[in-house]
Amino acid sequence: MAENARDHRDGQGRSEYHGVPANALPLTASEDRQWATLAHFGGILGCVPSLLIYLIFRDRGPFTAQESKEALNFSLPPTIAAVLANILVFIPYVGNIFAVIATLIWVALTCFSVAAGIHVNKGQPHRYQYNLRWIK
């Protein structure tokens, strides 16, 4: 069977099955606002949604790039704190305190993220009052 296998190469030495680089089109104004809004609403789940939106769409829409970076900078520290609090839940006697702390972090992150998402959905940029802005 190995002798029947052929090397499928084009004239430039690439495999004919080699992928073509994707040239993503810029986002329309509506899509730009939609992804920026979703980046803020994603704060309900922590920093992962805003990170993914930032990495995927930052070059395709300026509003999405700006707002997903803002949402990521805001949601990253509380997400880290909540993960640590959830790990510390397993400590005997004081674990319940960390469970309450983790819940309060999630509730606060959810409230701020939803408020920012509503603001951004109107097409207006949003700046969190308390934000570390680690990612420039």
Side-chain angles (χ1 to χ4, degrees):
M1 187 148 171
E3 59 267 357
N4 291 338
R6 293 186 299 150
D7 189 20
H8 298 282
R9 302 233 177 235
D10 64 4
Q12 298 171 349
R14 293 181 305 205
S15 169
E16 69 178 283
Y17 304 111
H18 180 72
V20 193
N23 293 328
L25 296 173
L27 297 173
T28 64
S30 174
E31 292 171 335
D32 202 14
R33 190 178 75 240
Q34 173 190 2
W35 285 109
T37 301
L38 290 174
H40 284 286
F41 281 147
I44 296 169
L45 302 174
C47 66
V48 175
S50 56
L51 174 65
L52 291 175
I53 291 171
Y54 177 70
L55 292 175
I56 294 170
F57 294 106
R58 68 178 170 204
D59 296 330
R60 295 182 57 196
F63 192 57
T64 298
Q66 171 187 329
E67 293 303 317
S68 62
K69 187 177 1 175
E70 182 73 11
L72 178 59
N73 279 323
F74 177 75
S75 63
L76 187 60
T79 301
I80 292 170
V83 167
L84 290 174
N86 281 313
I87 291 170
L88 295 174
V89 163
F90 296 108
I91 296 176
Y93 306 112
V94 294
N96 292 334
I97 295 170
F98 290 110
V100 170
I101 290 172
T103 302
L104 291 175
I105 291 171
W106 178 76
V107 168
L109 187 59
T110 298
C111 291
F112 285 117
S113 296
V114 168
I118 291 169
H119 189 80
V120 168
N121 193 37
K122 296 175 184 175
Q124 303 165 348
H126 183 77
R127 292 291 165 256
Y128 293 98
Q129 186 174 2
Y130 303 106
N131 200 346
L132 296 177
R133 293 184 178 84
W134 288 344
I135 300 168
K136 302 285 180 194

